[in-house]
């Protein structure tokens, strides 16, 4: 018997990608709302009442309203930022710890992580929770990302023939240090202070790299690049969608880390670069894959009690 799934916000970028990942699955029946009813609260409530699972691919305020609209009639996976730091919700990054995975499996409410937060937490959660960085470490992170995660209007601008001249250059944003992903980045990394975060949107479609430099001379105890790499390998030893790459030695001198390599894929890669004095941690993923719709479908699979990679590999 297939599970009935409704996507509230099915015409948005993340919603469309979720449809792509679910529409050919025999264990899923997608419930489609009529175009003219997409903003009709009564019709949406009817779809949620019929669905076993409902994805919310909506702006924050609309997602909050949708949860009220749904009541307790459906299990919800929210791809907005509205509920990510709510302790009553499961946080949808199962590879971080068994406790995260167990809560996703049993919860009726799962908040799908943000794309930048996924890259950041894949690096910082293990570093803090395995004792290699203290919780009060002054963390700085930067990231390069394709434009596909910026929404339909931005995608249209980037892909238009008369796009602004500046769009051909990498553009830094969220310069006031108030990026919407910062609360979840701080909370789930276990940091006592918000990290500084420098996101950069670039003129390519999808994929991203989140990078965190660590000056080890700022630490009270010595850590090595090999120790960090081995820690990541052990932390993610059982992960099916997170790959820890071997530590590079001479190869990294001529190595270029592209941000779009995993475009269209659902996995995340971890790299450790540098040396014992200056360690560079990098996470590469597709902002619409493991950073959005792929992560949402992975959480759905866990909530359904099936292999988490179903439809993703």
């Amino acid at each position: 018997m297939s599970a009935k799934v409704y996507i509230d916000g099915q015409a948005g970028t993340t919603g469309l990608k979720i449809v792509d990942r679910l529409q050919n699955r025999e264990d899923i029946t997608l419930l489609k709302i009529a175009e003219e009813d997409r903003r009709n609260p009564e019709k949406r409530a009817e779809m949620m009442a019929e669905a076993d699972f409902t994805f919310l691919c909506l702006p924050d305020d609309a997602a909050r309203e949708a949860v009220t609209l749904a009541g307790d009639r459906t299990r919800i996976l929210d791809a907005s930022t509205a509920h990510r730091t709510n302790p009553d919700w499961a946080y949808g990054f199962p590879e971080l710890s068994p406790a995260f995975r167990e809560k996703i499996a049993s919860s009726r409410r799962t908040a799908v992580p943000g794309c930048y937060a996924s890259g950041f937490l894949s690096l910082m959660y293990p570093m803090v929770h395995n004792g290699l960085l203290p919780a009060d470490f002054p963390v700085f992170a930067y990231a390069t990302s394709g434009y596909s995660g910026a929404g339909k209007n931005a995608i249209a601008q980037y892909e238009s023939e008369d796009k602004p001249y500046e769009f051909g250059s990498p553009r830094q944003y969220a310069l006031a240090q108030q990026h919407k992903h910062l609360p979840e980045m701080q909370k789930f990394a276990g940091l006592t202070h918000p990290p500084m975060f420098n996101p950069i949107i670039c003129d390519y479609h999808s994929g991203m790299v989140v990078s965190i430099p660590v000056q080890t001379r700022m630490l009270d105890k010595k850590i090595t690049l090999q120790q960090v790499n081995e820690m990541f390998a052990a932390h993610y030893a059982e992960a099916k969608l997170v790959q820890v790459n071997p530590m590079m030695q001479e190869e990294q001198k001529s190595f270029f880390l592209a941000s779009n390599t995993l475009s269209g894929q659902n996995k995340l890669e971890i790299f450790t670069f540098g040396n014992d004095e200056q360690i560079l941690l990098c996470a590469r993923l597709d902002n619409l894959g493991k950073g959005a719709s792929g992560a949402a479908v992975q959480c759905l699979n866990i909530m359904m009690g099936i292999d988490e990679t179903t439809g993703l590999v």
Side-chain angles (χ1 to χ4, degrees):
M1 185 174 178
S2 63
K4 296 179 181 179
V5 174
Y6 169 58
I7 302 170
D8 198 14
Q10 63 192 32
T13 306
T14 300
L16 289 170
K17 291 294 183 180
I18 292 175
V19 170
D20 287 344
R21 287 164 168 80
L22 296 181
Q23 61 185 350
N24 294 320
R25 284 178 49 171
E26 295 182 356
D27 60 339
I28 297 289
T29 299
L30 278 177
L31 305 179
K32 297 290 187 71
I33 195 168
E35 180 66 24
E36 63 270 19
D37 293 330
R38 285 197 302 116
R39 291 180 173 83
N40 185 320
E42 293 182 0
K43 295 294 184 180
R44 291 164 58 212
E46 290 175 6
M47 299 295 285
M48 294 176 190
E50 184 180 353
D52 300 303
F53 300 92
T54 295
F55 288 97
L56 304 181
C57 302
L58 304 165
D60 286 1
D61 288 344
R64 295 185 186 98
E65 293 172 359
V67 171
T68 301
L69 196 65
D72 200 40
R73 293 172 289 187
T74 180
R75 297 178 77 181
I76 293 177
L77 299 98
D78 183 10
S80 78
T81 64
H83 300 99
R84 289 176 185 162
T85 57
N86 187 327
D88 295 330
W89 286 59
Y91 188 68
F93 200 150
E95 293 91 350
L96 292 184
S97 80
F100 280 65
R101 181 179 297 277
E102 291 167 8
K103 190 169 182 178
I104 295 167
S106 62
S107 178
R108 294 190 61 80
R109 302 286 184 265
T110 296
V112 180
C115 53
Y116 286 127
S118 294
F120 178 86
L121 291 171
S122 72
L123 302 169
M124 195 49 50
Y125 180 95
M127 290 291 289
V128 173
H129 287 264
N130 286 288
L132 273 66
L133 285 183
D136 62 351
F137 189 78
V139 177
F140 166 70
Y142 62 94
T144 51
S145 174
Y147 57 76
S148 59
K152 283 189 171 182
N153 291 337
I155 293 172
Q157 281 186 298
Y158 268 99
E159 296 182 349
S160 68
E161 293 182 358
D162 57 346
K163 67 182 177 184
Y165 173 75
E166 290 80 7
F167 280 43
S169 165
R171 295 188 300 147
Q172 301 180 52
Y173 68 106
L175 301 174
Q177 292 303 304
Q178 294 177 347
H179 192 279
K180 65 181 181 179
H181 290 178
L182 281 172
E184 62 183 296
M185 291 162 70
Q186 178 185 354
K187 176 180 178 179
F188 293 108
L191 298 172
T192 57
H193 304 286
M196 286 195 69
F197 180 49
N198 182 205
I200 305 167
I201 187 170
C202 307
D203 189 14
Y204 65 94
H205 183 260
S206 61
M208 65 169 45
V209 171
V210 179
S211 302
I212 303 175
V214 177
Q215 300 272 8
T216 61
R217 68 176 182 273
M218 300 177 67
L219 298 172
D220 292 334
K221 65 177 182 178
K222 185 71 173 178
I223 63 172
T224 67
L225 184 64
Q226 181 174 348
Q227 180 185 2
V228 170
N229 183 265
E230 290 175 352
M231 179 276 296
F232 279 123
H235 189 92
Y236 291 112
E238 304 299 322
K240 298 180 179 179
L241 295 174
V242 177
Q243 173 187 322
V244 178
N245 289 281
M247 185 178 69
M248 292 184 178
Q249 300 291 339
E250 293 300 314
E251 301 95 327
Q252 68 175 291
K253 294 181 179 179
S254 59
F255 181 76
F256 288 81
L257 185 63
S259 299
N260 63 352
T261 303
L262 296 184
S263 179
Q265 299 185 45
N266 297 298
K267 70 177 183 178
L268 182 151
E269 289 182 294
I270 288 176
F271 299 85
T272 51
F273 297 118
N275 51 62
D276 291 349
E277 287 71 42
Q278 296 178 313
I279 296 174
L280 180 63
L281 311 175
C282 297
R284 178 163 63 185
L285 64 156
D286 180 6
N287 47 298
L288 295 179
K290 182 60 173 160
S293 55
V297 171
Q298 180 185 8
C299 289
L300 170 68
N301 291 337
I302 293 172
M303 293 169 77
M304 291 175 62
I306 62 176
D307 188 321
E308 68 191 273
T309 66
T310 302
L312 297 176
V313 294

